Amino acid sequence: MQMLARNPAATYRRIELDARIEASGRADLTRICLEEALAALGQALIALDRSQVAPREPLGRAQSIMVWLTQSVALDHPLGGSLRQFYGGLASQIGANILQPEAEVIGRVSNDIRDLLKAAG
């Protein structure tokens, strides 16, 4: 319980995320994951802008989300192969930036996710 009290904003964000996941269907879950990955990349870019310390935690979170999405694409989905390749490529790019982050690459990945969210409507 003490851990929750240290970062109330993170606790509220986690509660909101849990509630969204509980109320979501499969398509909504994908959107939620993409939005969370985008938010984590945004946090990484802010951290990079503020200091020289590599923002490993948000980049690791974004990479984990993209790996999960890669593995969760339905085998019978008509775009399954393309989606797995796309998500996997983004996961690889994020992973390559965990130790040596480059704002330009993180920004490009963020734009790709943003474009996917727009296309999904």
Side-chain angles (χ1 to χ4, degrees), residues 26-58:
R26 187 172 183 93
D28 291 334
L29 186 56
T30 299
R31 174 174 281 286
I32 290 168
C33 288
L34 291 170
E35 289 170 352
E36 287 297 311
L38 189 59
L41 294 172
Q43 291 171 344
L45 287 171
I46 290 169
L48 273 176
D49 190 43
R50 290 183 180 167
S51 71
Q52 298 298 321
V53 178
R56 291 183 179 145
E57 192 274 325

Side-chain angles (χ1 to χ4, degrees), residues 2-13:
Q2 183 182 18
M3 193 172 166
L4 295 177
R6 288 188 206 158
N7 192 343
T11 302
Y12 287 123
R13 189 178 80 230

Side-chain angles (χ1 to χ4, degrees), residues 13-118:
R13 189 178 80 230
R14 181 68 190 168
I15 291 168
E16 178 188 10
L17 176 61
D18 288 347
R20 286 182 69 198
I21 290 170
E22 284 292 321
S24 71
R26 187 172 183 93
D28 291 334
L29 186 56
T30 299
R31 174 174 281 286
I32 290 168
C33 288
L34 291 170
E35 289 170 352
E36 287 297 311
L38 189 59
L41 294 172
Q43 291 171 344
L45 287 171
I46 290 169
L48 273 176
D49 190 43
R50 290 183 180 167
S51 71
Q52 298 298 321
V53 178
R56 291 183 179 145
E57 192 274 325
L59 289 172
R61 188 169 66 247
Q63 182 189 33
S64 294
I65 291 167
M66 298 314 298
V67 167
W68 184 86
L69 284 171
T70 302
Q71 296 171 345
S72 68
V73 174
L75 295 175
D76 61 346
H77 191 288
L79 298 174
S82 296
L83 285 172
R84 281 188 288 278
Q85 184 177 11
F86 180 74
Y87 293 150
L90 293 179
S92 294
Q93 289 179 60
I94 295 166
N97 275 269
I98 291 176
L99 295 178
Q100 295 287 338
E102 295 180 40
E104 182 179 322
V105 174
I106 297 168
R108 241 188 352 258
V109 171
S110 295
N111 288 336
D112 288 345
I113 294 171
R114 198 172 290 111
D115 289 346
L116 184 59
L117 283 166
K118 285 179 188 175

